[in-house]
Amino acid sequence: MLEHRFYPFCQIQMKKSILFSICKASIIVLLHLSVTQVHGGGDDGNAVLQISDGGYLIVGSTSYGAGGSDIYVVRTDSIGNKIWSKTIGQVSPDYGYAVAESGDGGFVIVGNTIGLLTDVYLIKIDSMGNLLWSKTL
């Protein structure tokens, strides 16, 4: 088991199964299995959270979104097998940077969205990654 529940990362670039600039080496295999197997590259992982059931939630961004870049969320089991993945975003580019588990079993994600100005983007999803609400601040 990892020693902390929240792991912020330096920027992690996923390109053709190669990981660059990772701060926590113990998460390399988990991120590789979870993020690159979905699209094969072009995704960024910025944070990972070990959740109450022992699995992980990875938050970052993907170039496969509606706005050219959307927030990318991947849920895995305790050994890195993907359970689900979701993209969340608006028409403008969106990026996910941090995640916390909420008391109701869902998750709160914070990132930013870039329009005329860069705004804070706050998102609430349920345990299956379904969007409950989102707000720009």
Side-chain angles (χ1 to χ4, degrees):
M1 180 175 285
L2 301 172
E3 58 188 51
H4 301 294
R5 292 182 50 86
F6 176 71
Y7 302 90
F9 286 88
C10 296
Q11 189 70 14
I12 303 164
Q13 295 294 319
M14 314 289 181
K15 294 188 180 179
K16 297 185 180 172
S17 301
I18 299 173
L19 303 174
F20 300 98
S21 303
I22 191 165
C23 292
K24 296 279 186 180
S26 61
I27 305 299
I28 289 175
V29 172
L30 174 67
L31 288 173
H32 173 75
L33 292 173
S34 300
V35 179
T36 60
Q37 71 180 341
V38 178
H39 292 302
D43 305 318
D44 296 327
N46 293 320
V48 63
L49 173 73
Q50 185 172 27
I51 58 179
S52 57
D53 69 0
Y56 297 92
L57 197 78
I58 302 162
V59 173
S61 61
T62 181
S63 59
Y64 296 93
S69 179
D70 276 346
I71 293 173
Y72 188 39
V73 185
V74 179
R75 167 78 167 85
T76 73
D77 63 16
S78 62
I79 58 171
N81 296 312
K82 183 180 70 161
I83 296 171
W84 53 257
S85 65
K86 304 282 182 167
T87 57
I88 302 167
Q90 303 176 15
V91 176
S92 58
D94 306 301
Y95 304 93
Y97 293 112
V99 61
E101 190 169 10
S102 57
D104 61 3
F107 305 95
V108 178
I109 299 166
V110 67
N112 64 27
T113 185
I114 302 172
L116 294 176
L117 300 171
T118 300
D119 293 317
V120 173
Y121 194 18
L122 185 63
I123 299 164
K124 174 75 164 100
I125 60 174
D126 66 15
S127 63
M128 296 304 296
N130 300 309
L131 180 66
L132 299 176
W133 53 259
S134 66
K135 304 212 182 274
T136 54
L137 309 171

